[in-house]
């Protein structure tokens, strides 16, 4: 009767198992430092441009839209505060993470998936390497380090985008914008602005690795794994952020 | 032929790396009533067989009959649902992954899909087992020069020395297969498993591959399990040997005694026996694989 639940429960179980091993391996040797650096380069440097671009334009769009609403209250001077809070608390982490999910959860899943179907993962195990240690843990560490940094960049460029609108269209001085943007931020905002991308990074890396490592059914299977990795990690990003928000609001 | 009889210079490997052969009495591979299923599919259905050091097994069977799973369970890459598997007399079933590494270090595997690391060049691929398996065996780490030397020898063995710094994607299918063989035998394992080494190759290349497998088997007396769709491959394994002095393959009656055929169907081993027995079988499924020239 509960057969339809069997598959998701099994998936979750396997996912937890993989995550457990990946975390445990962080504290075990051998450490593959080269692989960690390579992944940081792929994820960080590779996503830098698109994250910056989207960060900047989200600031621009937000300032434009908000300025109309604020104008009705004669509160256009608050534009810096609004852009700053929304970006740092929510939009920066979520946007950067969604972009990285799209670029890297898929990249990880398809790379590991191809390795799976061409029996490279089996070969690794046969030749004395733990594929979780060699493939999953480096991707987990790299994403967890790089995504918060990307988020900071996205936040900053979003503020620059907001300033661009404030300065060119709203008649707000530079010091007015930046000081209000900075002063409104509380310790709590910064914490959640960094904890979120850190958690999202873990989800992105592990979901990508999970679907990659569990690929079956040849090259078609690789395509399916890639799609699933992006969809599932994006959904979890929204689930996690909406679970965290009430926590931080009450702080 | 014992490794000591190898004429100087023709040995593929230096004397120092002659494998530790287990005592004659322990079978190299032993399956006892092994079952493996994926949901409704019985990939292995009460499989039992055993082989002694230096012997050859040729595994025939239709697509999906469980041949790959037979090889993968043998080294614990896939764990069976029930039954016992022993390698060199040691229990594989029930071992933790970390404890399997030292057993696997004594086995060479050519994977059906190649399994070459496509982010590594050929030299690194072939060096991989040398660099990663010594740690498990707790033997001394081979020096860089030694690794280089052995990688060269293994690639010379498959006549691909010139591809050292190419990537697998730059080689043809037959060449990749040969690199796979070089990687499987570079550690001089006591047992080598070949999964469909000739699949998808033209007859000439396929025979070159079988010649390499014979060469490896007969130079070092390696126990060999070969999965194949081609009866012809099994025929060569059972009736030919590598002659180290001429460097050619030649007919040999002695191979027949130590070569046995297994035919698999839907996870079951429905036939096990020598080549004459295979040819004499009246089972229509078995006969399909016993016809010379059958694909
Ligand atoms: N990961 C898996 N999940 C589900 N079923 C599997 C899996 N791996 C193998 N099987 C099934 O197990 C059976 C045996 O597969 P196996 O790969 O051993 O066949 P094979 O004899 O090697 O075939 P081929 O000649 O095509 O390589 C097949 O029916 C296959 O569908
Ligand atoms: Mg197979």
């Amino acid at each position: 009767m509960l057969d339809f639940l069997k598959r998701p429960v099994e998936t979750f179980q396997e996912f937890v198992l993989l995550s457990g091993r990946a975390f445990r391996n962080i504290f075990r040797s051998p450490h593959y430092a080269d692989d960690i650096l390579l992944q940081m380069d792929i994820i960080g440097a590779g996503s830098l441009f698109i994250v910056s671009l989207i960060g900047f334009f989200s600031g621009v769009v937000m300032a434009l839209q908000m300025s109309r609403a604020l104008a009705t209250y004669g509160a256009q001077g608050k534009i810096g505060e609004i852009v700053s809070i929304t970006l740092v608390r929510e939009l920066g982490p979520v946007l950067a993470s969604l972009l990285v999910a799209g670029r890297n959860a898929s990249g990880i899943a398809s790379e590991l998936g191809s390795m799976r179907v061409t029996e490279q993962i089996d070969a690794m195990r046969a030749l004395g390497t733990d594929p979780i240690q060699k493939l999953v843990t480096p991707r987990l560490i790299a994403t967890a380090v790089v995504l918060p940094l990307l988020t900071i960049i996205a936040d900053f460029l979003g503020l620059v985008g907001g300033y661009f609108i404030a300065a060119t269209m709203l008649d707000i001085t530079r010091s007015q914008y930046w000081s209000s943007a900075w002063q409104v931020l509380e310790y709590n905002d910064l914490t959640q602005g960094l904890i979120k991308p850190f958690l999202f990074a873990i989800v992105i890396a592990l979901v990508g690795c999970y679907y990659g490592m569990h690929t079956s059914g040849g090259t078609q299977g690789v395509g399916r794994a890639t799609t699933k990795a992006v969809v599932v990690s994006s959904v979890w990003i929204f689930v996690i952020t909406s679970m965290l928000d009430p926590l931080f609001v009450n702080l | 032929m014992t490794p000591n009889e190898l004429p100087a210079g023709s040995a593929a490997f230096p004397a120092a790396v002659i494998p530790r052969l287990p005592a004659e009495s322990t079978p190299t591979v032993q399956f006892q009533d092994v079952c493996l299923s994926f949901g409704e599919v019985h990939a292995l259905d009460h499989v039992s067989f055993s082989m002694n050091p230096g012997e050859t097994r040729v595994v025939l069977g239709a697509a999906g009959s469980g041949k790959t799973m037979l090889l993968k369970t043998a080294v614990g890459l896939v764990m069976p649902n029930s039954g016992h598997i022993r390698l060199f007399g040691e229990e594989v079933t029930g071992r933790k992954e970390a404890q399997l590494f030292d057993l696997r270090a004594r086995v060479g595997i050519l994977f059906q899909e190649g399994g070459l690391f496509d982010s590594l060049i050929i030299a690194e691929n072939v060096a991989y087992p040398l660099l990663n398996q010594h740690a498990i065996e707790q033997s001394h780490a081979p020096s860089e020069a030694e690794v280089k030397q052995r990688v060269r020898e293994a690639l010379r063995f498959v006549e691909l020395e010139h591809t050292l710094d190419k990537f697998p994607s730059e080689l043809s299918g037959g060449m990749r297969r040969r690199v796979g063989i070089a990687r499987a035998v570079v550690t001089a394992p006591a047992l080598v498993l070949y999964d469909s080494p000739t699949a998808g190759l033209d007859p000439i290349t396929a025979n070159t591959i079988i010649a390499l497998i014979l060469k490896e088997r007969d130079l070092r007396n390696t126990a060999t399990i070969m999965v194949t769709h081609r009866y012809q491959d099994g025929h060569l394994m059972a009736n030919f040997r590598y002659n180290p002095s001429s460097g050619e393959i030649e007919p040999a009656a002695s191979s027949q005694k130590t070569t046995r055929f297994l035919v698999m169907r839907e996870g079951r081993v429905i036939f096990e026996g020598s080549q004459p027995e295979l040819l004499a079988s009246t089972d229509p499924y078995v006969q399909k694989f016993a016809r010379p020239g059958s694909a």
Side-chain angles (χ1 to χ4, degrees):
Chain A
M1 189 185 80
L2 291 173
D3 262 8
F4 68 98
L5 276 179
K6 209 171 131 195
R7 194 57 217 140
V9 169
E10 247 173 43
T11 304
F12 186 68
Q13 206 177 5
E14 287 167 357
F15 180 76
V16 170
L17 207 69
L18 176 83
S19 312
R21 291 204 188 131
F23 278 111
R24 199 182 56 188
N25 284 348
I26 296 176
F27 309 103
R28 288 192 180 183
S29 54
H31 295 285
Y32 296 100
D34 291 355
D35 291 282
I36 298 177
L37 291 177
L38 179 71
Q39 289 305 320
M40 282 185 176
D41 186 45
I42 293 175
I43 298 164
S47 307
L48 186 60
F49 177 72
I50 181 80
V51 165
S52 310
L53 194 75
I54 301 286
F56 179 81
F57 281 106
S58 62
V60 167
V61 169
M62 209 170 1
L64 272 175
Q65 298 290 354
M66 286 302 168
S67 66
R68 295 234 326 259
L70 288 174
T72 53
Y73 302 103
Q76 279 189 343
K78 297 255 179 216
I79 197 78
E81 291 179 28
I82 294 212
V83 172
S84 168
I85 286 219
T86 355
L87 266 179
V88 170
R89 291 179 76 123
E90 196 69 62
L91 225 47
V94 170
L95 280 179
S97 304
L98 283 178
L99 288 172
V100 170
R103 271 191 93 253
N104 298 103
S106 58
I108 291 172
S110 64
E111 187 183 359
L112 300 200
S114 324
M115 291 184 76
R116 165 103 248 163
V117 299
T118 55
E119 294 182 306
Q120 290 179 54
I121 304 229
D122 282 325
M124 240 176 218
R125 291 172 62 203
L127 299 178
T129 312
D130 174 4
I132 296 180
Q133 182 76 274
K134 172 89 180 157
L135 300 172
V136 179
T137 304
R139 283 167 175 75
L140 176 64
I141 296 175
T143 320
V145 170
V146 163
L147 189 50
L149 298 177
L150 284 175
T151 303
I152 293 174
I153 294 169
D155 289 348
F156 175 70
L157 283 168
L159 283 170
V160 172
Y163 171 65
F164 175 72
I165 296 299
T168 53
M169 302 176 67
L170 304 177
D171 230 14
I172 293 167
T173 66
R174 186 169 69 192
S175 67
Q176 199 184 352
Y177 179 87
W178 286 106
S179 66
S180 69
W182 179 245
Q183 274 160 11
V184 73
L185 291 177
E186 288 171 21
Y187 188 62
N188 170 7
D189 301 319
L190 295 175
T191 327
Q192 81 164 289
L194 287 176
I195 285 184
K196 276 183 183 172
F198 179 72
L199 293 178
F200 298 160
I202 293 172
V203 169
I204 291 169
L206 289 176
V207 168
C209 288
Y210 172 80
Y211 283 106
M213 298 283 281
H214 287 81
T215 301
S216 62
T219 36
Q220 262 193 327
V222 177
R224 275 197 303 272
T226 310
T227 316
K228 271 191 197 159
V230 177
V231 172
V232 170
S233 54
S234 309
V235 169
W236 275 106
I237 286 171
F238 282 107
V239 171
I240 292 176
T241 192
S242 46
M243 284 188 328
L244 282 181
D245 283 344
L247 266 180
F248 278 100
V249 166
N250 293 337
L251 273 182
Chain B
M1 158 168 157
T2 68
N4 304 344
E5 288 168 19
L6 293 181
S10 80
F13 303 97
V17 299
I18 294 297
R20 338 168 238 169
L21 291 177
E24 286 297 319
S25 54
T26 34
T28 306
V29 183
Q30 199 177 14
F31 273 60
Q32 271 178 357
D33 212 27
V34 173
C35 296
L36 168 72
S37 53
F38 297 98
E40 303 285 283
V41 181
H42 295 284
L44 295 177
D45 196 356
H46 300 281
V47 171
S48 300
F49 78 97
S50 99
M51 69 186 281
N52 290 321
E55 290 190 341
T56 305
R57 290 291 177 275
V58 176
V59 183
L60 298 161
S65 56
K67 305 180 298 296
T68 298
M69 286 303 134
L70 184 83
L71 299 187
K72 286 197 179 167
T73 49
V75 288
L77 288 172
V78 177
M79 278 295 167
N81 301 106
S82 63
H84 291 276
I85 298 167
R86 286 187 198 85
L87 263 189
F88 311 109
E90 296 187 51
E91 189 81 31
V92 171
T93 28
R95 276 204 189 208
K96 288 214 184 87
E97 180 83 5
Q99 296 162 337
L100 279 164
F101 283 141
D102 58 339
L103 271 183
R104 290 183 191 146
R106 296 155 71 181
V107 184
I109 309 177
L110 174 71
F111 287 93
Q112 185 169 14
E113 306 294 340
L116 293 179
F117 303 122
D118 43 30
S119 56
L120 303 181
I121 60 170
I122 299 305
E124 291 168 332
N125 261 290
V126 179
Y128 199 93
L130 294 173
L131 296 174
N132 286 279
Q133 289 185 328
H134 74 88
I136 307 148
E137 284 194 301
Q138 267 128 36
S139 58
H140 74 110
S143 69
E144 207 173 305
E146 196 181 333
V147 169
K148 251 193 178 149
Q149 164 78 2
R150 286 176 68 180
V151 167
R152 264 183 192 285
E153 273 164 12
L155 282 170
R156 192 180 310 138
F157 178 80
V158 297
E159 291 157 24
L160 281 177
E161 234 185 322
H162 56 284
T163 63
L164 272 171
D165 39 35
K166 292 214 161 85
F167 282 96
S169 55
E170 299 173 78
L171 303 186
S172 74
M175 286 159 104
R176 279 204 291 272
R177 219 48 79 72
R178 274 146 71 192
V179 173
I181 293 178
R183 188 176 71 175
V185 304
V186 69
T187 53
L191 167 69
V192 186
L193 313 175
Y194 300 93
D195 196 348
S196 315
T198 59
L201 299 180
D202 62 274
I204 296 171
T205 315
N207 285 347
T208 328
I209 298 281
I210 297 297
L212 285 175
I213 294 174
L214 282 173
K215 186 169 156 191
E216 162 67 20
R217 179 189 74 177
D218 295 335
L219 278 176
R220 297 197 309 100
N221 200 25
T222 318
T224 305
I225 304 184
M226 189 179 75
V227 162
T228 179
H229 297 101
R230 293 200 326 160
Y231 168 76
Q232 170 74 4
D233 297 345
H235 174 72
L236 288 171
M237 294 300 286
N239 296 289
F240 286 77
R241 72 175 203 114
Y242 177 76
N243 182 337
S245 42
S246 68
E248 300 281 327
I249 304 301
E250 62 182 26
S254 62
S255 302
Q256 256 182 0
K257 289 194 258 355
T258 53
T259 304
R260 287 172 77 79
F261 289 74
L262 272 67
V263 180
M264 297 196 66
R265 177 179 197 175
E266 288 164 17
R268 275 169 297 126
V269 174
I270 57 162
F271 171 89
E272 182 181 354
S274 64
Q275 192 185 19
E277 285 164 350
L278 179 77
L279 292 170
S281 169
T282 52
D283 185 312
Y285 181 86
V286 175
Q287 275 180 345
K288 270 196 203 123
F289 291 97
R291 228 181 313 123
S294 68

